[in-house]
Amino acid sequence: MLQGIGWVTFGALAAGGLATGYLLQPDVHAEELELHPPKLPWSHNGVFNSIDHDSIRRGFQVYRQVCAACHSMNRLAFRHLVGVCYTEDEMKAIAAEYDVVDGPNDQGEMFTRPGKTYNLWICVIVGALPPDLSLINLARHGNEDYVFHLLTGYADPPAGVEIRDDLYFNAYFPGQAIGMAQALYNEIIEYEDGTPATTSQLAKDVCTFLKWSADALVILSLVMFASYYYKRHKWTVLKSRKIAYHPSPHS
């Protein structure tokens, strides 16, 4: 009896200690010390709103001419943009601008050939340490708001803040010191459709393109699982069917 009371008392003291520690712990978390990106009025926000396909095309142009120098997109192929913002002939011409390693040939040697629309972008654009951008829009808190403010958030460090020579101050990057230099500037490229290529326009378009790429990969994944289930449902009976030969009684 006394032993049972002792265990009950010990449990009550332990629970009280845990509750006291939880109530007295500091209510400041690491993410609260970071600058959260403000919400932006994206045209594709909303259940029934669609992504601006002209902006997707301009954003792909920004990616090709600026971002692809360091960042890969190894989950997307050129053909994924056919019917979205490019015709098949346009995308064939773009893919052919790149040399793709293929092979081996009849002599057992690797060779290079012009890219095809079915090639993944990793085959023609080699990324290094910077992250792959295929799903970057879903991998960061704030999604396209974060990416936009990161691209446009470069500034001189405030008084009293020292940044290493190989880093750059960016208020929206965790820690405010980022290894990527500012990539977007006014008129750094010339848009095919004549849209003024301001820094904010470049950032807006490439964020729209990255939003589309992340959503497209999610949809393709769902379709892949549905197709796999349908294939099993239809073919499982045929693949497991046994054919037995029964000789004729008259033979």
Side-chain angles (χ1 to χ4, degrees):
M1 181 68 177
L2 292 176
Q3 185 177 6
I5 295 175
W7 281 111
V8 170
T9 303
F10 176 78
L13 291 174
L18 291 174
T20 302
Y22 176 79
L23 293 174
L24 294 179
Q25 70 176 345
D27 196 25
V28 177
H29 304 282
E31 64 269 15
E32 295 180 359
L33 301 177
E34 306 296 340
L35 184 61
H36 293 270
K39 295 287 186 181
L40 296 174
W42 298 95
S43 61
H44 52 255
N45 285 343
V47 178
F48 300 105
N49 294 338
S50 62
I51 302 178
D52 182 355
H53 286 215
D54 290 333
S55 186
I56 294 175
R57 179 170 178 139
R58 292 194 300 267
F60 179 61
Q61 186 180 349
V62 176
Y63 169 74
R64 287 183 62 209
Q65 298 187 25
V66 181
C67 308
C70 300
H71 295 273
S72 64
M73 294 190 76
N74 60 10
R75 292 175 175 85
L76 287 170
F78 291 102
R79 61 182 173 82
H80 290 140
L81 281 168
V82 174
V84 176
C85 55
Y86 285 93
T87 65
E88 185 173 1
D89 290 339
E90 287 176 325
M91 191 48 66
K92 284 181 178 179
I94 291 175
E97 295 176 7
Y98 299 93
D99 292 327
V100 179
V101 178
D102 203 347
N105 55 18
D106 295 338
Q107 289 74 38
E109 299 176 348
M110 303 300 289
F111 61 93
T112 59
R113 59 165 175 80
K116 304 292 185 181
T117 55
Y118 58 79
N119 286 126
L120 297 176
W121 294 342
I122 188 62
C123 298
V124 295
I125 302 169
V126 180
L129 291 178
D132 182 88
L133 299 183
S134 304
L135 292 167
I136 196 68
N137 191 67
L138 298 178
R140 297 293 185 269
H141 174 70
N143 306 121
E144 58 265 41
D145 293 329
Y146 168 78
V147 179
F148 178 89
H149 289 293
L150 180 73
L151 292 173
T152 58
Y154 287 86
D156 294 330
V161 176
E162 295 184 1
I163 301 293
R164 280 175 16 199
D165 292 339
D166 58 337
L167 298 177
Y168 305 88
F169 180 80
N170 191 306
Y172 294 96
F173 187 76
Q176 285 78 52
I178 186 172
M180 181 182 75
Q182 183 173 350
L184 302 182
Y185 296 91
N186 290 333
E187 307 300 334
I188 192 174
I189 67 172
E190 183 178 349
Y191 276 134
E192 299 170 347
D193 61 1
T195 301
T198 62
T199 301
S200 59
Q201 183 68 50
L202 295 169
K204 178 256 185 185
D205 290 331
V206 76
C207 287
T208 302
F209 168 68
L210 295 176
K211 162 71 175 175
W212 167 83
S213 69
D215 288 355
L217 286 171
V218 171
I219 294 172
L220 288 173
S221 299
L222 295 176
V223 171
M224 179 187 70
F225 285 118
S227 300
Y228 177 74
Y229 176 80
Y230 181 78
K231 180 252 185 187
R232 282 177 56 90
H233 176 72
K234 288 295 184 182
W235 285 91
T236 233
V237 177
L238 297 176
K239 292 178 70 174
S240 60
R241 181 178 297 174
K242 294 182 178 180
I243 300 177
Y245 174 74
H246 297 284
S248 172
H250 303 289
S251 60

